[in-house]
CSV table of all heavy atoms in Angstrom, one decimal:
chain,number,residue,atom,x,y,z
A,78,TYR,N,26.2,-73.5,37.3
A,78,TYR,CA,26.9,-72.4,36.7
A,78,TYR,C,28.2,-72.0,37.4
A,78,TYR,O,29.0,-71.3,36.8
A,78,TYR,CB,25.9,-71.2,36.7
A,78,TYR,CG,24.7,-71.4,35.8
A,78,TYR,CD1,23.4,-71.2,36.4
A,78,TYR,CD2,24.8,-71.7,34.5
A,78,TYR,CE1,22.3,-71.4,35.6
A,78,TYR,CE2,23.7,-71.9,33.7
A,78,TYR,CZ,22.4,-71.8,34.2
A,78,TYR,OH,21.3,-72.0,33.5
A,79,HIS,N,28.4,-72.4,38.7
A,79,HIS,CA,29.5,-71.9,39.4
A,79,HIS,C,30.7,-72.8,39.2
A,79,HIS,O,31.0,-73.7,40.0
A,79,HIS,CB,29.2,-71.7,40.9
A,79,HIS,CG,30.3,-71.0,41.7
A,79,HIS,ND1,30.9,-69.9,41.2
A,79,HIS,CD2,30.8,-71.3,42.9
A,79,HIS,CE1,31.8,-69.5,42.2
A,79,HIS,NE2,31.8,-70.4,43.2
A,127,LEU,N,18.0,-67.5,33.3
A,127,LEU,CA,19.0,-66.4,33.6
A,127,LEU,C,19.6,-65.9,32.4
A,127,LEU,O,19.9,-66.6,31.4
A,127,LEU,CB,20.1,-66.9,34.6
A,127,LEU,CG,19.7,-67.4,36.0
A,127,LEU,CD1,20.8,-68.1,36.7
A,127,LEU,CD2,19.2,-66.2,36.8
A,128,THR,N,19.9,-64.6,32.4
A,128,THR,CA,20.7,-64.0,31.3
A,128,THR,C,22.2,-64.3,31.6
A,128,THR,O,22.5,-64.7,32.7
A,128,THR,CB,20.5,-62.5,31.2
A,128,THR,OG1,21.0,-61.9,32.4
A,128,THR,CG2,19.0,-62.1,31.1
A,129,GLN,N,23.0,-64.1,30.6
A,129,GLN,CA,24.5,-64.4,30.8
A,129,GLN,C,25.0,-63.4,31.9
A,129,GLN,O,25.9,-63.8,32.7
A,129,GLN,CB,25.2,-64.2,29.5
A,129,GLN,CG,26.7,-64.7,29.5
A,129,GLN,CD,26.7,-66.2,29.9
A,129,GLN,OE1,25.9,-67.0,29.5
A,129,GLN,NE2,27.7,-66.6,30.7
A,130,GLU,N,24.5,-62.2,31.9
A,130,GLU,CA,25.0,-61.2,32.8
A,130,GLU,C,24.6,-61.6,34.3
A,130,GLU,O,25.4,-61.5,35.2
A,130,GLU,CB,24.4,-59.8,32.5
A,130,GLU,CG,24.9,-59.1,31.3
A,130,GLU,CD,24.3,-59.7,30.0
A,130,GLU,OE1,23.3,-60.5,30.1
A,130,GLU,OE2,24.9,-59.5,28.9
A,131,GLU,N,23.4,-62.2,34.4
A,131,GLU,CA,23.0,-62.6,35.8
A,131,GLU,C,23.8,-63.8,36.2
A,131,GLU,O,24.1,-63.9,37.4
A,131,GLU,CB,21.5,-62.9,35.7
A,131,GLU,CG,20.6,-61.7,35.6
A,131,GLU,CD,19.2,-62.0,35.2
A,131,GLU,OE1,18.9,-63.1,34.7
A,131,GLU,OE2,18.3,-61.1,35.4
A,132,ILE,N,24.1,-64.7,35.3
A,132,ILE,CA,24.9,-65.9,35.6
A,132,ILE,C,26.3,-65.4,36.1
A,132,ILE,O,26.8,-65.9,37.1
A,132,ILE,CB,25.1,-66.8,34.4
A,132,ILE,CG1,23.7,-67.5,34.1
A,132,ILE,CG2,26.1,-67.9,34.7
A,132,ILE,CD1,23.7,-68.3,32.8
A,133,GLN,N,26.9,-64.5,35.4
A,133,GLN,CA,28.2,-64.0,35.7
A,133,GLN,C,28.2,-63.3,37.1
A,133,GLN,O,29.2,-63.4,37.8
A,133,GLN,CB,28.7,-63.0,34.6
A,133,GLN,CG,29.1,-63.7,33.3
A,133,GLN,CD,30.3,-64.6,33.5
A,133,GLN,OE1,31.2,-64.3,34.2
A,133,GLN,NE2,30.3,-65.7,32.8
A,134,LEU,N,27.2,-62.5,37.3
A,134,LEU,CA,27.1,-61.8,38.6
A,134,LEU,C,26.9,-62.6,39.8
A,134,LEU,O,27.6,-62.6,40.8
A,134,LEU,CB,26.1,-60.7,38.5
A,134,LEU,CG,25.8,-59.9,39.8
A,134,LEU,CD1,27.1,-59.1,40.1
A,134,LEU,CD2,24.7,-58.9,39.6
A,135,TYR,N,25.8,-63.5,39.7
A,135,TYR,CA,25.4,-64.2,40.9
A,135,TYR,C,26.0,-65.6,41.1
A,135,TYR,O,26.1,-66.1,42.2
A,135,TYR,CB,23.9,-64.4,40.8
A,135,TYR,CG,23.1,-63.1,41.2
A,135,TYR,CD1,22.5,-62.3,40.2
A,135,TYR,CD2,22.9,-62.7,42.5
A,135,TYR,CE1,21.8,-61.2,40.5
A,135,TYR,CE2,22.2,-61.6,42.8
A,135,TYR,CZ,21.7,-60.8,41.8
A,135,TYR,OH,21.0,-59.7,42.2
A,136,PHE,N,26.5,-66.2,40.0
A,136,PHE,CA,26.9,-67.6,40.1
A,136,PHE,C,28.3,-67.9,39.6
A,136,PHE,O,28.8,-69.0,40.0
A,136,PHE,CB,25.9,-68.5,39.4
A,136,PHE,CG,24.5,-68.5,39.9
A,136,PHE,CD1,23.5,-67.7,39.4
A,136,PHE,CD2,24.2,-69.2,41.1
A,136,PHE,CE1,22.3,-67.7,39.9
A,136,PHE,CE2,23.0,-69.2,41.6
A,136,PHE,CZ,22.0,-68.4,41.1
A,137,SER,N,28.9,-67.0,38.9
A,137,SER,CA,30.3,-67.3,38.4
A,137,SER,C,31.3,-66.6,39.3
A,137,SER,O,31.0,-65.6,39.9
A,137,SER,CB,30.4,-66.9,37.0
A,137,SER,OG,29.6,-67.6,36.2
A,138,SER,N,32.5,-67.1,39.3
A,138,SER,CA,33.6,-66.5,40.1
A,138,SER,C,34.9,-66.8,39.4
A,138,SER,O,35.2,-67.9,39.0
A,138,SER,CB,33.6,-67.0,41.5
A,138,SER,OG,34.7,-66.5,42.2
A,220,LYS,N,32.5,-56.8,41.6
A,220,LYS,CA,31.2,-57.3,41.9
A,220,LYS,C,30.9,-57.0,43.4
A,220,LYS,O,29.8,-56.5,43.6
A,220,LYS,CB,31.1,-58.8,41.8
A,220,LYS,CG,31.2,-59.4,40.3
A,220,LYS,CD,31.0,-60.9,40.4
A,220,LYS,CE,31.3,-61.5,39.0
A,220,LYS,NZ,31.2,-63.0,39.1
Side-chain angles (χ1 to χ4, degrees):
Y78 299 123
H79 189 44
L127 296 169
T128 66
Q129 193 59 39
E130 290 76 15
E131 289 165 342
I132 291 172
Q133 288 295 323
L134 176 62
Y135 284 101
F136 296 99
S137 297
S138 174
K220 289 181 189 178

